[in-house]
Amino acid sequence: MSYLFQTYARWDVEPEIAEGSYVTDKKGKQYLDFTSGIGVCNLGHQPKVVKDAIENQLDQFWHVSNLFTMEKQEQAAKILATAAEMDAVFFANSGAEANEAAIKLARKATGKTKIITFKQSFHGRTFATMAATGQEKIKHGFGPMLEKFTYATFNDIDSLKDLLDDEVAAVMLEVIQGEGGVHVGTQDFLKAVETLCHEHQALLIMDEIQTGIGRTGKPFAFQHFGLSPDIVTSAKGLGSGLPIGAVIGKENLKPFFGPGSHGSTFGGNPISVAAAIATMGIVFDEVFLQEVEIKGEYLLSQLNKLFHGNRLIKEVRGKGLMIGIEFEQSIQPFLPELREEGILALPAGENVLRLLPPLTVSIHEIEQCIAGLKKVVNEITEPAI
């Protein structure tokens, strides 16, 4: 009997230790981890520089509350805002909390209440972020959703034009839809969204929970497209596994998040902030990000080469080290077989296999993953008689 609510379909893998790109379970089996804790452990498991920063902060203080001035919060906010080319940060504990705060900020700053998001998007599981999510399965059984959310079609600018008017507070979108299937926004679409927001005095919110903190080879994915959003949300890779999220905004939004307007008891916790500073110190280095792009291009090209002409594979897509392989059938049979081969990978919807290796992954480890994928796909494509 388990005393946990069974909210997760857990794998039959119980980790004993994790280091770098590998997880070893209690049976002694080692796995190459191409999940990174669902895009969280961007520097791999137990990066020494982050561990040292955490231990140093543990010897100082763990929690005092946000009634106190904390120099490291200011330091982390400056690094994050500078990387996003923005001006102000609010620290939360998770991506859902960051998106919740972004929705609040947009409504307060504009005095409007309508929010447009996109079908197949994923923004979280709180009531506001669940309402913002464009997937009905996330909402099933929870009754009426929070009002004033409508959903356009991703990469279809006409569908946005049909919904966008001067009553809209914000358009909220992922540059790459992660949970929705690793769909990458096109340059023309994303720039057109930005232009329409300006025309209608609506804020542009970029949900970079999964795509941010170097995942695509830039500090944030919107930077590949020359965009200038009003609000950016971040979490996952920000703390290398410690819980932290952030809302990043432009200077003109500061007055709307003044004293008493929003808060979080644990947001900006000193331990998580120390981890974030150490993480960003590595990830935002220009040479490091260039290496992420190179490794991402290599992984994508090798997968396209491997699966070219394979009747099971519809498309391989992604950016940086965020890759989706869309199958012509459910990927559920593939995931346990990959684990048997010592490869950990993720679903993104029913038919998409998602690869989120640590940004520190080596070429050898990429080739190890490709070899495992090849074996499993070939065995399922051509089962033994």
Side-chain angles (χ1 to χ4, degrees):
M1 170 183 165
S2 173
Y3 287 92
L4 295 168
F5 278 112
Q6 297 302 297
T7 52
Y8 304 100
R10 297 182 191 273
W11 300 341
D12 187 22
V13 176
E14 186 172 356
E16 177 77 13
I17 192 167
E19 188 172 356
S21 299
Y22 295 91
V23 173
T24 303
D25 71 13
K26 287 199 169 185
K27 299 175 185 177
K29 183 177 177 66
Q30 187 181 71
Y31 302 85
L32 178 61
D33 185 4
F34 267 48
T35 74
S36 300
I38 316 184
V40 168
C41 301
N42 283 6
L43 297 178
H45 296 283
Q46 294 195 71
K48 186 178 186 304
V49 66
V50 179
K51 187 175 181 181
D52 289 347
I54 292 167
E55 290 176 347
N56 183 60
Q57 185 60 48
L58 281 169
D59 289 336
Q60 295 177 35
F61 59 93
W62 301 1
H63 177 82
V64 291
S65 91
N66 285 308
L67 297 175
F68 293 81
T69 298
M70 286 181 270
E71 182 182 352
K72 286 183 180 175
Q73 275 193 0
E74 289 286 353
Q75 182 184 351
K78 181 179 180 180
I79 296 168
L80 192 57
T82 300
E85 303 168 83
M86 302 181 87
D87 306 291
V89 173
F90 173 85
F91 285 115
N93 303 288
S94 68
E97 285 187 28
N99 283 339
E100 185 94 14
I103 291 165
K104 286 179 65 175
L105 178 57
R107 288 174 61 152
K108 188 173 185 188
T110 62
K112 298 183 283 187
T113 55
K114 291 171 65 175
I115 307 281
I116 299 174
T117 65
F118 292 84
K119 296 171 185 176
Q120 294 306 115
S121 62
F122 182 82
H123 299 293
R125 294 180 185 272
T126 64
F127 252 94
T129 59
M130 181 169 57
T133 293
Q135 299 185 52
E136 286 304 313
K137 66 180 181 181
I138 302 298
K139 307 170 188 180
H140 181 71
F142 293 105
M145 289 292 106
L146 188 68
E147 295 181 354
K148 303 291 186 174
F149 287 91
T150 54
Y151 314 97
T153 301
F154 196 64
N155 276 334
D156 180 351
I157 199 63
D158 289 332
S159 74
L160 178 62
K161 289 178 181 177
D162 290 341
L163 298 173
L164 189 55
D165 58 33
D166 292 338
E167 300 303 313
V168 172
V171 175
M172 185 176 190
L173 79 163
E174 303 154 279
V175 179
I176 304 172
Q177 291 188 327
E179 301 291 333
V182 194
H183 296 285
V184 183
T186 67
Q187 176 72 53
D188 288 348
F189 170 73
L190 293 170
K191 287 299 289 186
V193 172
E194 182 180 61
T195 298
L196 285 171
C197 285
H198 290 163
E199 290 175 358
H200 292 276
Q201 290 78 52
L203 300 183
L204 177 59
I205 304 173
M206 288 294 184
D207 177 342
E208 293 259 10
I209 304 303
Q210 190 168 145
T211 52
I213 317 299
R215 175 54 56 184
T216 65
K218 297 283 188 186
F220 296 94
F222 74 82
Q223 293 167 325
H224 289 284
F225 301 93
L227 304 172
S228 181
D230 299 284
I231 300 172
V232 173
T233 57
S234 177
K236 286 192 181 289
L238 182 55
S240 287
L242 271 75
I244 186 168
V247 180
I248 318 165
K250 289 186 174 179
E251 180 72 27
N252 65 302
L253 296 174
K254 282 184 176 181
F256 302 100
F257 255 15
S261 60
H262 194 56
S264 170
T265 296
F266 296 108
N269 173 274
I271 310 301
S272 295
V273 165
I277 291 170
T279 300
M280 291 187 290
I282 295 175
V283 172
F284 291 160
D285 177 77
E286 186 175 341
V287 173
F288 182 90
L289 290 169
Q290 288 173 350
E291 291 174 353
V292 171
E293 285 201 88
I294 291 168
K295 288 183 285 191
E297 289 168 2
Y298 178 76
L299 175 56
L300 192 62
S301 67
Q302 292 301 303
L303 289 171
N304 274 311
K305 181 179 178 181
L306 172 64
F307 293 130
H308 178 72
N310 189 305
R311 62 181 178 81
L312 272 184
I313 309 300
K314 184 176 181 179
E315 185 181 18
V316 181
R317 54 182 177 261
K319 202 165 191 63
L321 289 170
M322 184 176 180
I323 305 295
I325 305 168
E326 185 171 356
F327 285 66
E328 293 286 0
Q329 65 175 68
S330 170
I331 62 159
Q332 294 309 313
F334 295 89
L335 294 171
E337 292 298 322
L338 282 170
R339 292 196 289 273
E340 282 295 312
E341 291 299 317
I343 307 292
L344 301 178
L346 294 161
E350 186 62 28
N351 296 341
V352 178
L353 183 73
R354 182 172 28 153
L355 302 178
L356 297 173
L359 308 186
T360 51
V361 69
S362 68
I363 295 297
H364 170 73
E365 289 162 349
I366 289 173
E367 291 172 345
Q368 182 183 345
C369 175
I370 290 170
L373 278 167
K374 180 179 180 181
K375 182 177 180 181
V376 169
V377 171
N378 285 346
E379 284 178 352
I380 292 180
T381 306
E382 302 172 3
I385 299 174

